Amino acid sequence: MLDPADPQLVVDSPTLHFSWLPADPDAVAALVPPGLRPRPDRQVFMNQHVVEDDAQTSGFGAYSLTYLGVGLDGVDAPDGVTPGGWWTHYVTSSPRMREYAVVRGAPAVLGRTTIDVRGEALVAETVADGVPLIRARARVGATGHVVRAGHHRYFTHCAGQLLSAVYPFIAEPVDPFEIESVEFLEPGHPAYALRPQNPLLINWGFYAPRTSFAYPGGLTPYPGGQQARAEHVATPHQVPVRRARSGLPS
């Protein structure tokens, strides 16, 4: 078992990462624990990525992962703009990574994520317990000379306390990029509470065939109850109804 106090590095992972506004804002807000506050817009985020080779990680080995969560108010990443996030679901194909994440407070379960890119069409799918849960479709272009770098801040709950960690990343995003649909395929699964509204409203996002990031070596206890800083609201773009193929209720 990996020591959860050790940092871990992942390089060159195909990654789809984006955010949307939910169909049921109250259900999303109810997933955030005391001590943290959801953003007023109840923004939801998702990251789907695949690591195909053991040599791309410092200790995880090859794996795939989808994590989902709720954007938070007043606990931004170090840039002061990117919202912190509360992980609500965390699906990985690797038992080793699941053990590492669970000890750090992540709600990790075993499952599988695939990312299939054919020409400009990208399809990313997440499966847990043999059941397809989420399918995202996007239109993607080629990578250029732009590099996207920064940090994300994610929260977990472990041993009776809230924990916070900052995760650095470097990505080479494609251009153009457009999310076309996000389907939540299993209404009986708890993740269905995070489904997007229809028409689909995307806050931000990218797809990068190569993304590198690190899991920090330590987790910082967070007392909660801090006053929120001024809200930073990204302007969402609306997917035209003709392209929002999710078929989900609004």
Side-chain angles (χ1 to χ4, degrees), residues 29 35 47 50 70 103 117 163 174 183:
N47 182 304
V50 177
V70 182
V103 175
V117 180
L163 302 174
V174 301
E183 300 170 89

Side-chain angles (χ1 to χ4, degrees), residues 17 29 43 102 110 119 154-155 161 222 232 245:
H17 195 185
Q43 184 181 126
V102 164
L110 292 177
Y154 294 123
F155 288 78
Q161 62 181 342
Y222 177 73
H232 302 273
R245 299 195 296 265

Side-chain angles (χ1 to χ4, degrees), residues 134-158:
I134 305 166
R135 183 181 299 122
R137 299 180 187 272
R139 183 174 66 90
V140 298
T143 55
H145 300 291
V146 175
V147 174
R148 180 169 181 167
H151 299 81
H152 294 290
R153 186 182 187 190
Y154 294 123
F155 288 78
T156 59
H157 192 272
C158 189

Side-chain angles (χ1 to χ4, degrees), residues 17-23 28 39-46 69-72 81-83 148 177-180 182 194-197 199-206 231-239:
H17 195 185
F18 63 102
S19 171
W20 63 81
L21 298 186
V28 168
R39 288 168 52 89
D41 61 6
R42 305 306 194 246
Q43 184 181 126
V44 172
F45 62 86
M46 181 170 69
V70 182
L72 300 174
V81 175
T82 305
R148 180 169 181 167
F177 168 76
E178 181 183 6
I179 295 293
E180 295 186 322
V182 185
L194 299 170
R195 67 194 184 279
Q197 68 178 59
L200 179 62
L201 287 170
I202 299 298
N203 293 80
W204 51 263
F206 68 87
E231 181 187 0
H232 302 273
V233 179
T235 302
H237 75 263
Q238 178 170 313
V239 177

Side-chain angles (χ1 to χ4, degrees), residues 7-8 67 75-80 82-85 87 100 104 149-156 163-169 213-222 229:
Q8 298 292 338
Y67 61 72
V75 286
D76 296 337
D79 62 9
T82 305
W87 280 333
Y100 176 88
R104 296 166 65 91
H151 299 81
H152 294 290
R153 186 182 187 190
Y154 294 123
F155 288 78
T156 59
L163 302 174
S164 165
V166 174
Y167 299 75
F169 73 93
F213 53 91
Y215 279 69
L219 298 173
T220 303
Y222 177 73
R229 293 193 295 273

